[in-house]
Amino acid sequence: MKKYIRIILVILVLLANGVACINNKSVSTNNETESDKFFELTNYEKELQDQANLILRHLKERDFEKLSLLISKERGVIFSPYSYVTERCVVFTADQVKDLKLTDEFLWGAFDGSAEPMDLSVNEYFERFVYNREFLQAPRISVDQIIQTGNTKSNLDDFFPNTHFVEYNFPPYPDDAVLWDSLRLVFEKVEDQWMLLGVVHDCWTI
């Protein structure tokens, strides 16, 4: 009789431990779900990032005709080689972007450090200050948050008030803390569509 009682007690203990494990697993799953929710994009962030990804593809492919359709008709788009945007940066209307040729040359501003005039062709500028990294595969992407800055201040909020941006960032190399790049695409919403206002490159400056 005692033998049967011991067996029953063992079974009850095992059942109790099993229930406890199930409950613990359930709690863990719930915690993971809450954690996942923290990293989910809001509707506007996802919409904005999707638009930014589309524009990145056009920039990479130098498809100026398609790019022109996503540029603010009233304000155009400004290209800034560095994080501090100034009035000296090049501004194109949507029609001007549509007609761009890779060999067209412009004064894009001044080189950091030397202050020499930045006279470059469209293709040269894009190779150095727009799609100089594979930003579509960037390891870090943010919406309305600066991921990384160097020794040049970012003035996005002042130059583009009441707008939103997506940043694509490649962090520094392990053996060189100054070799990093960011590209920020600035948008305003016009009639339920995100329109491009700015293409702002950022990196370590001298």
Side-chain angles (χ1 to χ4, degrees), residues 142-149 154 156 165 167 182 184 202:
S142 69
V143 177
D144 290 340
Q145 290 187 14
I146 299 290
I147 297 176
Q148 185 165 5
T149 58
S154 173
L156 282 188
F165 69 91
E167 177 171 349
S182 281
R184 301 181 185 114
D202 196 2

Side-chain angles (χ1 to χ4, degrees), residues 36-134:
D36 291 342
K37 287 180 181 178
F38 181 76
F39 293 101
E40 288 179 358
L41 295 174
T42 64
N43 287 337
Y44 103 83
E45 288 173 334
K46 185 179 186 308
E47 187 180 273
L48 187 58
Q49 190 170 312
D50 287 345
Q51 185 78 328
N53 289 341
L54 177 61
I55 285 172
L56 263 189
R57 286 195 289 273
H58 297 335
L59 291 171
K60 177 183 179 179
E61 296 165 4
R62 314 296 198 264
D63 193 334
F64 298 123
E65 184 171 354
K66 290 181 181 177
L67 181 64
S68 68
L69 300 176
L70 304 175
I71 290 171
S72 172
K73 299 297 186 290
E74 293 185 2
R75 301 172 64 177
V77 59
I78 189 168
F79 285 83
S80 178
Y82 305 116
S83 62
Y84 194 85
V85 188
T86 73
E87 298 292 345
R88 293 188 300 170
C89 297
V90 172
V91 180
F92 295 118
T93 65
D95 289 337
Q96 287 173 328
V97 168
K98 183 180 179 179
D99 294 332
L100 280 179
K101 303 292 187 294
L102 292 178
T103 55
D104 291 343
E105 293 190 4
F106 298 93
L107 176 61
W108 303 86
F111 284 104
D112 174 67
S114 67
E116 290 292 322
M118 192 181 287
D119 288 305
L120 299 172
S121 70
V122 171
N123 194 55
E124 289 171 333
Y125 182 84
F126 269 56
E127 289 287 340
R128 186 163 179 175
F129 295 109
V130 178
Y131 210 86
N132 64 310
R133 301 285 288 271
E134 190 60 46

Side-chain angles (χ1 to χ4, degrees), residues 18 22 35 70 104 115-116 125 135 157 160 172 199:
I22 292 171
S35 177
L70 304 175
D104 291 343
E116 290 292 322
Y125 182 84
F135 285 114
D157 289 341
F160 300 101
V199 179

